[in-house]
Amino acid sequence: MSTYQFEKNEFIKLKSIEFFRNFIRNHNDKITDDDAFNPLRDAVAWTDVVRHFKAAFSGDELRALHADILLETLYPAEADATGHDTGASKKYLRQHLTGFFQETWNSLSHDKMRSIILNLLDTPAATVREKDIFEHRLEELQATLLLSEMERDTLLVLYFINDNFLALPEACPRSIAPRRKINFIAQCLDHGIHEVRHILSPDAKLQRYGCIDRDFDFNSVLHGFLVGADNNPLASHFYAKHDGETLPWDFYGELAEKHGALLKRLVLARAPERGLNILLHGEPGTGKTSFARSLARELNMECHEIAQGKTDRDGGHVSHTAFRFGALQLCASRIRAGRGIIIVDEADDMLRRAGSGGLLGIFSDSAQSGAGDKGRLNAVLDTIKATVVWITNTPSGELDESNRRRFDYSIRFDKLNDVQRLAIWKNNVRKHKLENLFDDIALEKFAGDYETSAGGVSLVLQNIAALAPEKNEAPVLVEKLIVPHCELLDIKSANTALLPAKDYTLDGLNIKSAVKLDRIIAAFRRFQSEPAPASPDRPRMNVLLSGPPGTGKTEFVKHLGKTLDTKIVVRMGSDLLSKWVGGTEQNIAAAFREAGAGKYILFLDEIDGLLQNRERSNRSWEVTQVNELLQQMENFGGILVAATNFSQNLDPAAIRRFTFKLEFDYLDSPGKELFFERMFSSPLTAGEAARLEAIPNLAPGDFRTARQGLYYLGGDITNNDRLAALETESNAKKQTGSAARRIGFGTVGSRS
């Protein structure tokens, strides 16, 4: 395969001379950069230069400039009788011609110099020649970006400046270079300055599409496209028509039922002169992109997807916000009116901020982006005349309100529940033709155990298809493939995270409640089994567990989930806190939505950070997050279990919203003996039992800690060692003061 040689082709030579001729006609000032005369290097013969100068200037004029020395004394013998230059004159010409013309231009009459140069560049008769790849690519660029002739030529001048085929008449600081370029381009194109200034403006195509930057520098990496180093069609760098597999519309079930009818009506009703902007936002990996594709197929419309960015010279992927804005505008201008849906996937940066630069950022070595340019986004949302589906994982609260209100319709995609994941597993099994390897029981287990995205499921089953295992090996291979995938993405396996300890039992726990524990468990069962009435007055099933650390609260929740055969969604208080204004409230609402959608038990651990007494709040957000949690508790239709070590710090209004309140206290004497025998499998003598009874503030967790501490010591472990370890745990509480803190609910005031 041939490689590109950096040289002027015939088209470049002709165009650069054409622009240079116009420049010479229009320029009347000094020229301080001899590179301005570069087009003369390959266009003139030295003997012609000698002849024209002798004809235009007298001997006195040449002697005053010392041009006579250059023309006659140094090179009288360099021109042969035929008028062709010798090798020596050509070498001198290339080395000194531009400097010679710079000196003569600045010293002699501009009119005479202009006449000499234009005569030297007298346009020869046009010859028939084939277009080279540069011309073809330039035409493709012009057609793709819908450039006018003047816009194309303006870009060419900047390209020639970039490659030093043309140069400004004087070197200048970068700060004033843009103004000098405007004047230079106007002279080269023989057009008015105001026309050039308009073409180079930020809102015009060249800068908006990123062909040039804000300093009017040519996007030099376009060189690869123009000279044929990149063989892909230019438009394919910006957007592509999706022709791949698409999920059927009914795959989305409740989502399609809730939004589908209105969404389809909106798309079909869009008038050609206006746009329709739809926002799909929410959790990553929840099917937003495939939903948009399915919508296009359901409406029998073409689906065009805006490219993500570019591959840089090192092979790395660079997202470029401004490039995508330009690509979107380009796509909208070229697709058939009313026949397409444009998808802007992973639009997070575009929606959070809008960058500078533009369409051809795909060719750039560095991404130019600016933060906070919401005006660019608003302008696009207001002017695009197409149906555009924007997809983002960014929480809606982090998007500027002025941007949010411009969307015609929005759909929030919450975290997938087990039922939705099961549908994804089944669909991908069919897609990869693996029905003979997996039954419904296996797929239900995968969907419940691994909270992976649709992409993760597809990736695992794609590899299973490649491995072609036997049926008995397939489930094992799925486990081996999906566990590392979940570890990589920090996805916790649901099959072991919330199983109670093997030796866990409610026996021996010191749980204080006005209602016996077995009746509370029965109440849970009844709550789950009875259909939810339409009345908003249905009793809540909110349970508060309070007490010191290690007294069995978390293990009780695990036991509850196993007893009720119900999955538990766990959220620590710290999981829900957000640095963004309103973010904590959104996280709280999302946790309740996830649990409600999957009919899971929602377990809020260490809830005191979220439900602290509002009377002691110092900041407004501390009040609003309590208000949000109280509202969610009031309206939640599932089982909520909250745990705290400091119930005395909770807001009084929150206490009233818990149907049952269970206080987990330190173990009493029978409980201590039961846990000792269960954990250590060693009977106590009367003296040892008395010593155990005398150890204050022991919790089930202390026995586990003591057993773990003794496990690796080796040798014979006696009850004396075990009791000593328990005494150490008890003394540690005294030193930290945790045992002295009051637990339980006490007397609370009223506040709603």
Side-chain angles (χ1 to χ4, degrees):
M1 187 173 87
S2 62
T3 58
Y4 169 70
Q5 299 293 321
F6 185 79
E7 59 183 12
K8 291 183 184 179
N9 58 38
E10 191 64 22
F11 173 79
I12 291 176
K13 289 178 183 178
L14 292 175
K15 290 300 291 188
S16 60
I17 290 173
E18 175 189 328
F19 295 150
F20 179 70
R21 286 170 57 87
N22 288 336
F23 164 70
I24 291 298
R25 287 193 187 97
N26 293 304
H27 191 71
N28 290 299
D29 295 327
K30 287 190 174 183
I31 296 175
T32 59
D33 188 348
D34 65 340
D35 282 345
F37 294 95
N38 279 345
L40 295 174
R41 288 180 183 273
D42 299 314
V44 301
W46 185 246
T47 51
D48 289 336
V49 174
V50 172
R51 178 168 53 83
H52 279 86
F53 264 83
K54 285 186 174 182
F57 297 101
S58 67
D60 291 339
E61 288 176 304
L62 293 175
R63 279 189 289 275
L65 183 66
H66 302 289
D68 57 329
I69 297 176
L70 292 171
L71 298 176
E72 296 180 342
T73 306
L74 291 180
Y75 303 103
E78 295 295 331
D80 60 21
T82 63
H84 291 100
D85 293 340
T86 65
S89 63
K90 287 183 178 180
K91 180 178 180 182
Y92 181 86
L93 178 67
R94 286 189 174 276
Q95 291 178 345
H96 301 285
L97 181 69
T98 57
F100 168 74
F101 271 98
Q102 176 200 355
E103 188 174 0
T104 54
W105 176 274
N106 293 332
S107 302
L108 301 175
S109 163
H110 287 171
D111 288 337
K112 287 187 176 182
M113 286 300 301
R114 183 178 292 110
S115 176
I116 289 175
I117 293 172
L118 293 178
N119 286 331
L120 285 169
L121 297 176
D122 191 23
T123 305
T127 59
V128 177
R129 60 180 182 82
E130 291 186 0
K131 293 181 180 179
D132 61 18
I133 193 169
F134 185 94
E135 286 181 86
H136 286 298
R137 290 300 176 88
L138 184 63
E139 289 176 355
E140 182 180 345
L141 177 66
Q142 181 177 1
T144 300
L145 305 186
L146 305 176
L147 302 180
S148 67
E149 293 294 320
M150 186 173 177
E151 287 170 330
R152 182 205 64 186
D153 286 349
T154 299
L155 186 61
L156 264 181
V157 171
L158 294 173
Y159 172 84
F160 290 160
I161 292 173
N162 180 79
D163 281 6
N164 209 32
F165 299 151
L166 293 175
L168 300 182
E170 59 181 342
C172 56
R174 191 172 185 84
S175 59
I176 63 173
R179 282 181 290 165
R180 299 289 171 83
K181 287 178 182 177
I182 291 175
N183 292 335
F184 181 67
I185 293 170
Q187 292 173 333
C188 288
L189 301 186
D190 200 20
H191 278 279
I193 289 178
H194 68 282
E195 294 177 88
V196 176
R197 185 178 290 114
H198 172 71
I199 286 176
L200 297 177
S201 66
D203 294 329
K205 292 178 182 177
L206 295 187
Q207 192 171 162
R208 188 176 81 233
Y209 289 169
C211 301
I212 58 175
D213 64 18
R214 288 174 295 181
D215 294 321
F216 308 149
D217 289 333
F218 176 77
N219 187 330
S220 59
V221 190
L222 256 179
H223 204 283
F225 171 77
L226 290 175
V227 302
D230 185 347
N231 292 320
N232 294 312
L234 184 65
S236 68
H237 292 291
F238 312 132
Y239 61 89
K241 181 181 177 182
H242 176 74
D243 291 318
E245 287 190 45
T246 304
L247 293 172
W249 186 245
D250 58 9
F251 173 82
Y252 298 96
E254 181 181 347
L255 198 66
E257 291 176 9
K258 180 179 179 181
H259 300 282
L262 180 56
L263 192 56
K264 288 185 279 189
R265 286 183 63 188
L266 283 170
V267 174
L268 295 174
R270 182 186 70 85
E273 68 274 8
R274 69 176 296 269
L276 181 71
N277 291 288
I278 300 164
L279 179 66
L280 307 183
H281 62 103
E283 294 283 338
T286 49
K288 297 185 288 293
T289 304
S290 59
F291 179 87
R293 292 169 178 169
S294 296
L295 174 65
R297 193 182 81 160
E298 178 74 2
L299 295 173
N300 195 29
M301 288 186 169
E302 295 176 354
C303 178
H304 299 272
E305 300 183 12
I306 302 302
Q308 297 286 350
K310 77 173 190 74
T311 301
D312 63 19
R313 288 176 174 176
D314 297 323
H317 189 73
V318 179
S319 174
H320 196 226
T321 301
F323 150 71
R324 303 196 75 202
F325 275 114
L328 172 59
Q329 292 170 303
L330 177 63
C331 182
S333 68
R334 292 175 64 87
I335 65 172
R336 290 185 295 165
R339 291 301 309 148
I341 290 179
I342 302 174
I343 298 177
V344 187
D345 201 0
E346 297 184 24
D348 303 71
D349 286 343
M350 299 174 73
L351 297 175
R352 278 198 297 252
R353 67 177 190 266
S356 60
L359 180 64
L360 296 174
I362 192 167
F363 296 106
S364 300
D365 288 323
S366 61
Q368 300 179 17
S369 60
D373 185 9
K374 66 180 183 182
R376 178 191 291 270
L377 174 59
N378 288 344
V380 170
L381 291 172
D382 291 342
T383 58
I384 287 287
K385 293 178 175 59
T387 297
V388 183
V389 180
W390 303 75
I391 299 174
T392 178
N393 299 330
T394 302
S396 59
E398 296 179 26
L399 307 180
D400 191 274
E401 185 178 351
S402 67
N403 300 144
R404 278 182 282 164
R405 63 171 174 255
R406 283 175 161 79
F407 287 99
D408 299 277
Y409 197 77
S410 65
I411 303 176
R412 182 184 62 234
F413 284 67
D414 291 319
K415 187 176 179 180
L416 296 173
N417 57 43
D418 292 356
V419 175
Q420 292 168 324
R421 270 195 303 276
L422 178 58
I424 291 170
W425 277 97
K426 289 183 176 180
N427 179 73
N428 277 276
V429 165
R430 288 192 297 269
K431 175 182 176 182
H432 295 289
K433 299 179 173 58
L434 301 174
E435 293 93 337
N436 62 316
L437 296 182
F438 303 102
D439 55 26
D440 287 349
I441 295 176
L443 297 181
E444 287 173 5
K445 182 178 185 301
F446 298 151
D449 288 352
Y450 303 103
E451 297 181 354
T452 186
S453 67
V457 173
S458 179
L459 185 64
V460 168
L461 291 180
Q462 178 181 328
N463 286 314
I464 291 292
L467 293 172
E470 296 295 329
K471 183 172 183 178
N472 60 343
E473 185 191 11
V476 178
L477 278 178
V478 167
E479 302 275 356
K480 289 182 177 180
L481 289 169
I482 202 168
V483 168
H485 175 80
C486 290
E487 290 175 348
L488 179 64
L489 299 178
D490 197 27
I491 300 172
K492 295 179 180 179
S493 173
N495 62 343
T496 58
L498 282 170
L499 291 178
K502 293 180 180 180
D503 49 9
Y504 182 82
T505 175
L506 297 179
D507 297 336
L509 293 181
N510 189 6
I511 302 176
K512 299 176 181 178
S513 172
V515 182
K516 290 184 178 182
L517 205 55
D518 58 347
R519 294 191 65 190
I520 293 177
I521 299 294
F524 285 139
R525 294 187 187 280
R526 181 181 174 188
F527 179 85
Q528 288 185 318
S529 62
E530 289 187 355
S535 171
D537 295 328
R538 182 196 187 196
R540 300 180 295 270
M541 187 52 73
N542 300 334
V543 183
L544 178 64
L545 314 181
S546 67
T551 50
K553 299 185 295 296
T554 301
E555 286 296 320
F556 172 77
V557 178
K558 296 178 182 179
H559 174 79
L560 182 64
K562 182 179 181 182
T563 301
L564 300 178
D565 192 23
T566 303
K567 185 175 178 178
I568 303 170
V569 173
V570 183
R571 293 291 183 272
M572 303 290 291
S574 56
D575 295 336
L576 301 176
L577 293 175
S578 170
K579 65 180 179 179
W580 304 104
V581 175
T584 300
E585 291 85 342
Q586 291 183 19
N587 292 341
I588 291 171
F592 278 89
R593 284 198 307 271
E594 178 186 352
K599 298 182 180 179
Y600 306 141
I601 295 172
L602 177 57
F603 177 37
L604 301 181
D605 201 2
E606 299 181 5
I607 200 174
D608 33 276
L610 294 172
L611 277 179
Q612 61 181 328
N613 195 321
R614 286 171 290 182
E615 292 179 351
R616 294 195 292 269
S617 299
N618 296 318
R619 302 173 182 85
S620 60
W621 53 263
E622 293 175 336
V623 175
T624 58
Q625 72 183 30
V626 173
N627 292 340
E628 177 66 29
L629 188 46
L630 293 178
Q631 181 181 1
Q632 293 293 338
M633 291 172 62
E634 190 74 31
N635 299 324
F636 187 48
I639 296 175
L640 167 67
V641 181
T644 178
N645 299 332
F646 308 103
S647 60
Q648 67 275 15
N649 295 337
L650 299 184
D651 192 274
I655 300 291
R656 295 198 306 273
R657 283 173 168 81
F658 288 102
T659 312
F660 298 109
K661 306 171 185 66
L662 305 182
E663 182 181 332
F664 288 68
D665 205 347
Y666 292 118
L667 297 174
D668 55 18
S669 295
K672 293 178 188 177
E673 290 190 24
L674 189 152
F675 271 89
F676 190 96
E677 293 175 2
R678 183 186 304 147
M679 290 289 184
F680 302 124
S681 301
S682 177
L684 291 163
T685 65
E688 290 168 344
R691 181 179 173 186
L692 176 62
E693 183 177 359
I695 303 175
N697 303 320
L698 285 180
D702 297 325
F703 288 84
R704 187 179 303 278
T705 301
R707 184 173 68 174
Q708 291 173 345
L710 296 169
Y711 183 83
Y712 291 105
L713 292 182
D716 294 330
I717 305 296
T718 65
N719 281 353
N720 182 62
D721 298 324
R722 299 177 180 110
L723 291 169
L726 291 171
E727 288 168 341
T728 298
E729 295 303 314
S730 177
N731 290 333
K733 295 174 186 175
K734 293 178 183 178
Q735 293 172 5
T736 60
S738 61
R741 294 174 185 157
R742 180 173 64 86
I743 63 173
F745 303 105
T747 304
V748 295
S750 63
R751 180 173 179 174
S752 57

